[in-house]
């Protein structure tokens, strides 16, 4: 009998095969234990906002072997986040100077987790994302859609002041914004399907979702959801002449006042007053803002750039920070982070909290604090020459250009007056 046909030989081969399989099983990586790969490129995300799905897109890039960056995409806007942290299958995206973050588990081509506001108690919105998807609400352009483009006179149910909607529609895709007396809703992006328009924006702090339904008389009825709990209804009618109330007349000095005065701590705790020598015989811009406020960050970017070009002139800017917590160390740390991220070269003081009624108490010469931001212009003599409520940012197009033009005209005038003095 050949040794290759002997029964003991086959038993031997069987044991060798079993041993080889066991050895392979012990030394081969298991699919379930592998660290998922975080794919670069475009991702489509959704936040669950009060039971409504709010979509946005972002682009993920690997900056080196262990670090990543994200660009949030809203219409024409790109917001860079450069401190993305990946540890195992846990991804953390801290939203720059906003005290918020996305925390998610990395799966194959997917992310699942939450959008979290660290400063707010129990503020978590479910978050998910799919790699490679690049659309807002509708995956493909629809052929059946109505036209929402143009200018609209808007009435939000909880606001007595008229707002303005501006939308540009290309096929079934829409971009635009809403302008209100206290600011704008920044870069909105969405789609039209039939007689319904949906728009959304996520900027790292605010999550906005708008829906509008065209009526038979060409008016609109809609809903607006923001974040965890805010919801209101709104209506609109087409009006090419729709305008906001004059932003330079909403906030003003009370009767008997012609000057602003205050004393607040700087970022190191040292008391600073508007009457300090540093601010005498100069044009002074006082900015009421908060690092939690995207409109304020839009204005801060503008002011920082303007100041870089004019800081050799007799002008100073003071940012009065009204933050989410009544805690000096917390507020100071948020402002310092914002200064670093935006490369801001002007002064900042910690003035109070974001509650508007409490903020008004810190500046009792004002009729009210209606909006963050609010910008106060003071001439060389210390007299208040103008107070501008709110800010129409880059997402408002021509309205932003109009603000920049008016700002430069006023500042040129105030600086010239000081030169001639």
């Amino acid at each position: 009998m050949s040794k290759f046909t002997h029964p003991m030989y086959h038993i031997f081969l069987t044991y060798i095969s079993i041993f080889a399989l066991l050895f392979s099983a012990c030394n081969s990586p298991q699919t379930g234990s592998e660290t998922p790969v975080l794919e670069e490129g475009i991702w489509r995300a959704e936040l669950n906002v009060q039971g409504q799905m709010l979509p946005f897109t972002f682009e993920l890039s690997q900056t080196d072997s262990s670090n990543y960056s994200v660009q949030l995409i809203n219409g024409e806007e790109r917001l860079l986040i450069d401190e993305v942290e990946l540890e195992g299958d846990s991804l953390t995206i801290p939203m720059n100077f906003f005290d918020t973050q996305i925390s998610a588990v990395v799966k194959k081509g997917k992310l699942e987790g939450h959008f979290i506001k660290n400063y707010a108690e129990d503020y978590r919105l479910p978050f998910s994302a799919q790699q490679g998807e690049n659309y807002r609400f509708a995956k493909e352009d629809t052929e059946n859609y109505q036209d929402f483009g143009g200018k609209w006179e808007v009435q939000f149910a909880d606001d007595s002041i008229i707002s303005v909607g501006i939308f540009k529609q290309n096929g079934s895709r829409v971009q635009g914004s809403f302008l209100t007396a206290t600011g704008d809703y920044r870069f909105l992006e969405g789609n039209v399907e039939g007689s319904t328009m949906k728009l959304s924006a996520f900027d790292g702090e605010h999550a906005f979702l708008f829906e509008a339904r065209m009526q038979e008389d060409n008016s609109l009825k809609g809903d607006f959801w923001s974040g965890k709990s805010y919801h209101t209804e709104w209506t609109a009618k087409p009006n090419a002449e729709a305008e906001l109330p004059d932003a330079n007349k909403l906030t003003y000095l009370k009767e008997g006042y012609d000057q602003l005065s205050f004393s607040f701590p700087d970022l190191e705790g040292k008391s600073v007053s508007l009457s300090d020598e540093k601010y005498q015989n100069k044009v002074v811009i006082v900015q009421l803002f908060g690092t939690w406020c995207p409109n304020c960050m839009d204005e801060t970017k503008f002011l920082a750039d303007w100041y870089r070009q004019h800081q050799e002139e007799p002008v100073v800017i003071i940012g009065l920070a009204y933050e989410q917590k009544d805690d000096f160390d917390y507020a100071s740390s948020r402002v310092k982070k914002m200064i670093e991220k935006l490369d801001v070269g002007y002064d900042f003081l910690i003035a109070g909290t974001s509650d508007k009624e409490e903020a008004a108490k810190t500046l009792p010469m004002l009729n009210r604090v209606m909006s963050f931001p609010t910008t106060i212009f003071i001439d060389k003599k210390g007299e208040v020459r103008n107070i501008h409520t709110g800010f129409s940012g880059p997402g408002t197009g021509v309205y932003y250009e109009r603000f920049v033009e008016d700002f430069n005209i006023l500042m040129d005038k105030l600086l010239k007056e000081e030169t001639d003095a």
Side-chain angles (χ1 to χ4, degrees), residues 311-360:
Q311 58 187 330
E312 299 303 320
E313 300 185 56
V315 59
V316 291
I317 303 177
I318 309 172
L320 302 185
Y322 293 86
E323 294 300 308
Q324 294 284 8
K325 294 182 180 180
D326 187 17
D327 181 300
F328 176 83
D329 291 338
Y330 173 85
S332 177
S333 67
R334 302 317 307 174
V335 176
K336 288 178 180 178
K337 189 172 184 67
M338 182 272 298
I339 291 172
E340 176 187 357
K341 289 293 183 182
L342 298 185
D343 187 25
V344 187
Y346 55 83
D347 296 347
F348 289 94
L349 308 178
I350 304 303
T353 67
S354 59
D355 182 281
K356 291 177 184 177
E357 291 186 5
E358 293 300 315

Side-chain angles (χ1 to χ4, degrees), residues 49 55 83 87 98 103 116 133 151 155 175 243 255 328 340 353-354 369 373 391 404 408 410 421:
V49 176
E83 296 181 349
E87 185 174 344
F98 298 131
S103 295
I116 303 166
E133 300 287 2
K151 186 188 250 188
Q155 184 70 68
Q175 294 184 13
E243 293 292 342
E255 186 175 353
F328 176 83
E340 176 187 357
T353 67
S354 59
V369 173
F391 183 74
V404 173
N408 284 324
L410 175 59

Side-chain angles (χ1 to χ4, degrees), residues 260-267 272-274 279 284-292 296-297 299-300 303 317-323 331 335 338 346-354 359 362-363 365-366 369 371-376 378:
L260 193 71
S261 64
F262 56 74
S263 181
F264 299 119
D266 66 13
L267 302 186
V272 173
S273 173
L274 191 58
Y279 305 118
V284 181
I285 301 172
V286 178
Q287 176 198 26
L288 280 59
F289 89 110
T291 61
W292 47 271
C296 300
M297 295 304 96
E299 185 186 53
T300 299
L303 290 175
I317 303 177
I318 309 172
L320 302 185
Y322 293 86
E323 294 300 308
V335 176
M338 182 272 298
Y346 55 83
D347 296 347
F348 289 94
L349 308 178
I350 304 303
T353 67
S354 59
T362 68
L363 298 170
M365 65 289 302
L366 298 181
V369 173
S371 172
F372 296 107
T374 293
T375 312
I376 304 170
I378 302 172

Side-chain angles (χ1 to χ4, degrees), residues 70-299:
V70 159
Q71 289 195 70
L72 298 178
I73 302 172
N74 295 292
E76 299 175 359
E77 181 183 51
R78 300 292 185 274
L79 294 172
L80 177 64
I81 300 166
D82 58 4
E83 296 181 349
V84 179
E85 303 169 6
L86 178 64
E87 185 174 344
D89 64 352
S90 297
L91 180 70
T92 302
I93 308 176
M95 296 297 170
N96 286 340
F97 33 74
F98 298 131
D99 191 13
T100 64
Q101 66 184 55
I102 287 174
S103 295
V105 175
V106 181
K107 300 183 179 180
K108 187 176 181 180
K110 295 182 179 181
L111 298 171
E112 292 184 3
H114 291 86
F115 168 59
I116 303 166
K117 289 191 175 182
N118 297 314
Y119 60 82
E121 185 177 355
D122 192 32
Y123 194 107
R124 299 165 67 89
L125 299 179
F127 161 88
S128 62
Q130 176 72 50
Q131 197 274 332
E133 300 287 2
N134 188 19
Y135 65 96
R136 211 71 173 187
F137 293 91
K139 198 164 189 177
E140 298 179 355
D141 286 345
T142 59
E143 296 182 359
N144 177 29
Y145 57 82
Q146 292 186 269
D147 185 7
F148 287 76
K151 186 188 250 188
W152 299 79
E153 181 180 311
V154 179
Q155 184 70 68
F156 288 100
D158 60 352
D159 189 350
S160 60
I161 302 177
I162 293 295
S163 298
V164 177
I166 48 172
F167 311 123
K168 293 181 180 180
Q169 186 168 338
N170 182 10
S172 62
R173 300 184 181 185
V174 187
Q175 294 184 13
S177 191
F178 291 86
L179 293 83
T180 77
T182 58
D184 66 272
Y185 285 104
R186 310 190 75 253
F187 293 85
L188 298 171
E189 180 182 355
N191 301 87
V192 176
E193 294 184 84
S195 59
T196 300
M197 175 179 70
K198 294 182 179 180
L199 298 165
S200 65
F202 174 68
D203 55 25
E205 170 67 28
H206 290 142
F208 296 144
L209 176 62
F210 292 89
E211 181 177 304
R213 300 169 293 279
M214 186 77 74
Q215 306 300 299
E216 291 185 1
D217 62 356
N218 290 326
S219 67
L220 303 181
K221 287 187 177 181
D223 289 271
F224 169 38
W225 296 270
S226 177
K228 185 178 178 180
S229 59
Y230 179 78
H231 169 262
T232 191
E233 295 179 343
W234 59 280
T235 58
K237 58 184 179 181
N239 182 357
E241 305 301 321
E243 293 292 342
L244 296 174
D246 190 344
N248 300 307
K249 295 182 179 179
L250 296 173
T251 308
Y252 50 85
L253 294 178
K254 294 176 183 177
E255 186 175 353
Y257 292 94
D258 60 4
Q259 294 188 342
L260 193 71
S261 64
F262 56 74
S263 181
F264 299 119
D266 66 13
L267 302 186
E268 306 306 324
K270 179 182 177 182
S271 181
V272 173
S273 173
L274 191 58
S275 61
D276 290 348
E277 183 178 355
K278 178 180 180 179
Y279 305 118
Q280 301 308 300
N281 302 316
K282 293 180 181 178
V283 177
V284 181
I285 301 172
V286 178
Q287 176 198 26
L288 280 59
F289 89 110
T291 61
W292 47 271
C293 164
N295 282 147
C296 300
M297 295 304 96
D298 284 340
E299 185 186 53

